[in-house]
Amino acid sequence: MTLDWVTLLPLIFMAVMGLALLAYVILDGYDLGVGLLLPFATDAEKDVMISSIGPFWDANETWLVLGIGVLLVAFPLAHGLVLSALYLPVAVMLIGLILRGVSFDFRVKARAARKEMWNRFFALGSLMAAAAQGWMLGRYLTAFDKGLWPTLFSLLIALTLPTAYAMLGAGWLIMKTEDALQLKAVRWARLVLWPMGAAMLGISLATPLVSPPVFDKWFAMPQFLGLLPIPVACAAAFFAAFHVTGRENVVKAGYGWVVFASTVLIFVLSFLGLAYSIYPYIVIDKLTVWQAASAHESLVFIFVGVAITLPAIIVYTVFMYRVFWGKARDLTYGL
């Protein structure tokens, strides 16, 4: 294949879309995880937990908008196929995200008797969004095939993806909180670590079984040897998190960040494995990147906008995290 500009530009847009969705899964994943863990905290701890994500959670969703926007304008055929097949779970996810936004604001403005209700809605919205995203991932990996096994596979991911988000959320709280809440977050991480690991392992083993092309890519020689570092690195990251969560003195010594970093590494490696599995398709076995792409002239025009927008989002995100980094305190709102 000749890598001229016409051939390369769709790949660039696919990389941008992949980067945006990976950033969304990690960044919004931890605040969805905090929402999932909210029911297990005391009232005072809930305020600190919300405070820990307050400056970030809304901006994290910018990456979802960017990823879906690139899919819409750069790959309209794929957008039509994917969104039409996932209309209902997308609606559930959006309802969940809206419910989270409403609850975030109303929980502090409502009377004390109503505050717990909004806390529950915030947790419910987090669960709806996480489960819907898991179902969408499962349907995507099975190329939207109908039948018992693709449905069960999608259901498995819908049930287990929230545990991965909860692990991200617990790791975030370990970094951002102190004292009793930090130690409680360590215990939460310890509890969800094994379900997350089992879910990741199950998905990794099941995906090649439901997709013969993916099986051929991973288990043919010599590719198998070249790809072996990915599962090995995931296992190392898993046991690093396992080691830290089992030793509170390590967390108190300032190494609690290892839990979050290890979970992020597992997400990144899983994403790279997924990208390798589906390439060159944007919809597995149905549409390649080039078949789904817009006309070259349109991509050139869109590229100018993305070249301005993407660096601006990255700079803003880095600046925001730098400004608001540090331990979370009790939640306060300016008048």
Side-chain angles (χ1 to χ4, degrees), residues 34-35 37-57 103-112 114-120 122 172-173 176-178 181 184 188 327-333:
V34 170
L37 295 170
L38 204 65
F40 307 102
T42 66
D43 288 342
E45 289 171 343
K46 288 173 183 177
D47 282 344
V48 177
M49 291 168 68
I50 294 295
S51 178
S52 75
I53 64 173
F56 312 110
W57 73 277
S103 303
F104 186 89
D105 285 331
F106 279 19
R107 69 180 298 279
V108 75
K109 297 175 182 177
R111 297 179 183 273
R114 301 283 186 178
K115 185 175 181 179
E116 183 57 30
M117 179 188 72
W118 292 112
N119 285 334
R120 291 174 181 172
F122 189 84
W172 175 259
L173 292 173
K176 294 287 288 182
T177 62
E178 297 175 308
L181 180 55
K184 186 176 284 190
W188 288 336
K327 297 294 184 179
R329 306 298 178 189
D330 291 340
L331 188 65
T332 58
Y333 285 75

Side-chain angles (χ1 to χ4, degrees), residues 7-326:
T7 303
L8 191 59
L9 201 53
L11 293 178
I12 293 174
F13 277 103
M14 187 175 186
V16 170
M17 184 177 68
L19 172 65
L21 294 178
L22 176 61
Y24 169 77
V25 166
I26 293 173
L27 297 180
D28 205 41
Y30 77 73
D31 66 58
L32 285 169
V34 170
L36 291 170
L37 295 170
L38 204 65
F40 307 102
T42 66
D43 288 342
E45 289 171 343
K46 288 173 183 177
D47 282 344
V48 177
M49 291 168 68
I50 294 295
S51 178
S52 75
I53 64 173
F56 312 110
W57 73 277
D58 206 14
N60 291 340
E61 294 174 1
T62 303
W63 292 101
L64 178 63
V65 176
L66 176 63
I68 300 301
V70 170
L71 177 65
L72 171 62
V73 299
F75 304 105
L77 290 180
H79 180 273
L81 179 60
V82 171
L83 269 297
S84 61
L86 299 176
Y87 184 85
L88 182 58
V90 167
V92 172
M93 181 187 71
L94 292 177
I95 292 171
L97 294 177
I98 292 170
L99 190 58
R100 276 166 49 88
V102 172
S103 303
F104 186 89
D105 285 331
F106 279 19
R107 69 180 298 279
V108 75
K109 297 175 182 177
R111 297 179 183 273
R114 301 283 186 178
K115 185 175 181 179
E116 183 57 30
M117 179 188 72
W118 292 112
N119 285 334
R120 291 174 181 172
F121 280 145
F122 189 84
L124 176 62
S126 300
L127 180 60
M128 290 172 62
Q133 289 171 20
W135 177 266
M136 288 188 283
L137 176 60
R139 297 290 294 132
Y140 178 77
L141 291 176
T142 55
F144 311 113
D145 289 339
K146 297 179 180 179
L148 177 62
W149 290 114
T151 301
L152 290 177
F153 179 73
S154 301
L155 182 61
L156 170 68
I157 303 183
L159 294 174
T160 54
L161 185 62
T163 66
Y165 282 166
M167 186 65 196
L168 274 175
W172 175 259
L173 292 173
I174 292 171
M175 292 193 302
K176 294 287 288 182
T177 62
E178 297 175 308
D179 303 326
L181 180 55
Q182 184 185 55
L183 296 180
K184 186 176 284 190
V186 172
R187 292 193 293 271
W188 288 336
R190 187 78 168 183
L191 287 173
V192 298
L193 179 61
W194 286 103
M196 183 200 75
M200 291 291 187
L201 180 62
I203 292 169
S204 299
L205 294 176
T207 301
L209 296 178
V210 299
S211 177
V214 174
F215 183 92
D216 294 338
K217 277 193 168 186
W218 278 89
F219 293 101
M221 297 294 286
Q223 299 97 301
F224 176 78
L225 295 177
L227 294 167
L228 198 57
I230 293 180
V232 170
C234 283
F238 177 88
F239 283 104
F242 176 77
H243 175 80
V244 173
T245 56
R247 291 162 176 80
E248 293 181 355
N249 59 319
V250 175
V251 174
K252 292 179 180 178
Y255 294 98
W257 59 268
V258 172
V259 178
F260 186 76
S262 298
T263 310
V264 169
L265 179 59
I266 292 172
F267 271 71
V268 171
L269 292 173
S270 300
F271 174 82
L272 293 176
L274 174 61
Y276 170 78
S277 298
I278 67 175
Y279 179 82
Y281 292 97
I282 194 168
V283 179
I284 299 176
D285 298 338
K286 287 184 170 62
L287 281 175
T288 67
V289 176
W290 299 280
Q291 291 171 337
S294 297
H296 176 67
E297 293 76 11
S298 300
L299 292 181
V300 171
F301 180 78
I302 300 165
F303 181 78
V304 176
V306 172
I308 297 171
T309 304
L310 181 60
I313 295 175
I314 293 173
V315 170
Y316 168 74
T317 300
V318 172
F319 176 75
M320 175 184 63
Y321 276 88
R322 182 177 178 182
V323 169
F324 293 104
W325 196 250

